[in-house]
Amino acid sequence: MMIPDDACNDSMLQEATRELEAAIHDARVAFDCIALGELDRAHTSAVTARIAIDAAVIAIQAALAQAPSQPAANAASDTEAES
């Protein structure tokens, strides 16, 4: 499954998307390696999947830190509407 490029305009969210796609791939490789009995390779792929997920979490946290808070923006527009 691919996420359309226009779904995430922010560079941090694009990075998170790339990392999650990499994690999906690595998890599938780990799954296949387990089925083939290649446990060392499965372990390596599972670890790299986890690292990619951690990187995605950090990118999403950075995007959240950059984004203006929604409740404050809504409150400001409500105040302007009352004026």
Side-chain angles (χ1 to χ4, degrees):
M1 178 176 157
M2 296 290 292
I3 299 172
D5 287 336
D6 60 347
C8 30
N9 297 327
D10 186 275
S11 62
M12 287 295 165
L13 294 180
Q14 289 174 350
E15 180 62 23
T17 300
R18 285 190 292 272
E19 292 294 345
L20 289 173
E21 287 175 343
I24 291 167
H25 171 76
D26 290 339
R28 286 183 179 149
V29 170
F31 179 85
D32 291 340
C33 289
I34 290 170
L36 295 171
E38 296 181 22
L39 298 182
D40 286 337
R41 188 169 172 209
H43 178 260
T44 299
S45 293
V47 169
T48 57
R50 183 175 181 168
I51 292 168
I53 290 171
D54 289 344
V57 168
I58 291 168
I60 293 169
Q61 288 172 336
L64 285 171
Q66 291 177 354
S69 61
Q70 294 298 334
N74 290 339
S77 64
D78 290 344
T79 305
E80 290 174 8
E82 291 174 1
S83 301

